[in-house]
Amino acid sequence: MSNPEETKKKAEPRKKSIDPAALEVIAKAEAEGISTVFSRVDEMKACPIGAAGSCCQLCAMGPCRLVGKGAEEKTGICGATHGTIGARLMVRAIAGGVAAHSDHGRDIARTLLAVAKGHAQSYGIKDPDKLYRVAEMMDIATEGRELNDVAAEVAQKALDNFNGTAGDELTYVSRAPARRQEIWRKYGLVPRGVDREVVESMHRTHVGVDQDAEHLLDQGMRTSLADGWGGAMLATDLSDVLFGTPKPLVSQANLGVLSKDEVNIIVHGHEPTLSEMIVAASQDPELIEYARSKGAAGINLAGICCTANEVLMRHGIPPAGNFLHQELAIITGAVEGMVVDVQCVLQALQPLSEKFHTKLITTSPKAKIPGATHVEFDETRALDTAKDIVRMCIDNFENRGDIAIPQYTGDLVAGFSHEYINYMLGGRYRASFRPLNDNIINGKIQGAVAIVGCNNPRVTQDEGIVYLVHELIKRDVLVVQTGCAAHASGKHGLMTPETMQIAGDGLREVCEAVGMPPVLHLGSCVDNSRIMTILSQVVEEGGLGDDISDLPVAAICPEYYCEKALAIGTYAAASGAYVVFGVRNPVGDCDEVVDIMSNGWEAKVGGQLVFEPDYDKILEMVMNRIQEKRQALGIHEEKERVLFDMAARREL
Ligand code: NFS
């Protein structure tokens, strides 16, 4: 039974975080007997049977646990094999993740439709050029038409993609390289509708339906592609249309961005619709004056999780931290209001907020937390609702007690949309990925790796992310980031142009010439779709093969914790990328499933999804993959296969 975390914990007490701000607040919590995710994870051992995919709870004949001697040969009461059980668990997790991202995308599409029809208060179309480009990709005519007309048709087409009424294939499948589309069609992996794939996954994993692990996992890939080339890609595009396409800007990250004398409001969750309006409300002169009348110096807005990324990318609002910082922010005593919508919001925030003066405000019609204040958000009075919420937080300022804000921040540059990267590389008159391709071909850049995903309290916060970013740029690998992994690098100062100094000579030379950091912040987790777009454009640019699977690239999710991460990892693999997750394999006991997702998918789609808790091994696996791909492309210089030891890791 594999549970690396448990074994490691016995050998050496695990450090909870490498972030000094986090450590300071965790120490305060421990001293005051306040429960946090960091203390609860020690009190609750992971169930080793469930942790490795050996427990099936899908019907009332069970739960069936396939453990003990000869576990691999055992079956559930219905006869389901270990492989079938593992595949069903994996496919259900993927479907859960896809549903979350895509429902977010659907809400953005609905907002765009409401804007086009004049029903949404205070929203507009901030990037009409992007709207026209999206319309073109959707084969929607733009010539001589009113902006709102085009917007309505684009929004409707997006909604049709969710409903499955846009045609036999999702519209954006056509954005993938031609060879990739052929592979998907050959194996029946082209998604037909976002909702349809999620529903079919739930159906096929119901007891007594699909019982072939490989066939089930094909549906897992198809469902995930409905996210990466459907729901999430639409969420990114339509958010850019509504709220603006990001351009580089400077900001700071970590708990030190909280203000000691202003009203601190934290936006936490995922959907930019609400947070955009909170940004506007927090800058409203009347409300700032109101805050002053209550004794505060002003209003200070900060973010947590992917909402933080949305408002960072477009407004430079500083992130107070990543997933594991949500409780810590409240424990500083300096947060008047934490405004949440959907996903990654810990229920523990509510009892915690009662120990302090923080008002926890839920806003989504989809997500309530008992005990929290619910102010339901709807787009017809978006700005008014946001103002009500900000006023509520200002009124709470007078209840503030002692505060302890850890004085740590990292400077960072964020805001790299795929459009901006294209422009940055080529310049205004010749925007192109050519310089990137050329520098990969000449070896100054060895390859590119996406380091993405969450924090997980079962592993030291930020350790894997920061270590891998550091080691990869040293080896001339360009790093792109999203999600909470991007916050980690931001907090630790790895997203500034100065980071070039620790990059390898080749990568540094390119970064200096282009004027970019070697670690690029591409946004929230739905913005992993930007990475798919970049990879497709790099293939299209030429010289590096004819498919994503030919490129010297990989993706790493070192500290994942949730189903959304598994959905993203699966669509990246199904798109031809080599994907490595840390922490543990959720189906690690199911040999057949492990083999299908690695060797099987490699043979079928040229990508794989593998799990490896050891960061040095991940580094070695990824570097070797990059070298193998360079060799296959004939751009490889003879180098030893890379093997790293523990010493290199501790150098950091
Ligand atoms: Ni991504 Fe964003 Fe963070 Fe993980 Fe949660 S916030 S959608 S799931 S924890 S990276």
Side-chain angles (χ1 to χ4, degrees), residues 346-395:
L346 299 177
Q347 187 163 355
L349 291 180
Q350 210 292 316
L352 179 67
S353 69
E354 282 183 1
K355 291 191 170 18
F356 297 85
H357 76 306
T358 307
K359 222 176 206 347
L360 181 67
I361 303 166
T362 51
T363 57
S364 167
K366 294 172 197 168
K368 287 193 175 183
I369 300 177
T373 307
H374 189 71
V375 183
E376 197 152 302
F377 191 72
D378 90 87
E379 64 244 0
T380 59
R381 53 180 308 274
L383 187 58
D384 290 345
T385 317
K387 284 184 180 173
D388 290 347
I389 290 172
V390 170
R391 208 170 288 119
M392 209 180 268
C393 298
I394 295 171
D395 287 336

Side-chain angles (χ1 to χ4, degrees), residues 20 32-33 50 73 97 111 189 214 267 321 343 362 382 384 409 444 494 508 561 581 603 627:
E32 294 174 15
E73 304 309 319
T111 304
L189 302 178
E214 183 181 349
V267 282
Q343 302 167 22
T362 51
D384 290 345
T409 53
K444 284 187 185 141
L494 288 167
R508 184 171 58 238
Y561 94 103
F581 272 50
Q627 295 311 328

Side-chain angles (χ1 to χ4, degrees), residues 101 269-270 305-306 323 343-344 453-455 483-485 525-526 561-562 564-565:
H101 279 152
H270 284 79
C305 280
C306 279
F323 176 62
Q343 302 167 22
C344 300
C454 324
N455 290 145
C484 289
C525 288
V526 294
Y561 94 103
C562 73
K564 287 180 290 172

Side-chain angles (χ1 to χ4, degrees), residues 125-139:
I125 292 168
K126 284 238 181 87
D127 191 344
D129 290 345
K130 177 123 188 189
L131 174 69
Y132 289 130
R133 285 200 302 279
V134 170
E136 202 179 307
M137 284 186 280
M138 291 179 163
D139 272 333

Side-chain angles (χ1 to χ4, degrees), residues 243-254 257 267 270 272 275-276 279 301-321 410-417 481-491 495 520-524 527 530:
F243 312 126
T245 303
K247 293 187 186 68
L249 36 75
V250 292
S251 189
Q252 291 189 314
N254 216 338
V257 306
V267 282
H270 284 79
S275 50
E276 279 289 318
V279 172
L301 192 62
I304 296 265
C305 280
C306 279
T307 295
N309 284 322
E310 299 284 357
V311 290
L312 167 67
M313 293 287 282
R314 298 193 177 89
H315 302 283
I317 302 293
D411 291 330
L412 65 96
V413 179
F416 292 93
S417 54
Q481 293 204 266
T482 57
C484 289
H487 293 310
S489 293
K491 288 189 295 176
M495 287 184 153
L520 302 177
H521 192 327
L522 263 61
S524 63
D527 292 334
R530 294 192 200 277

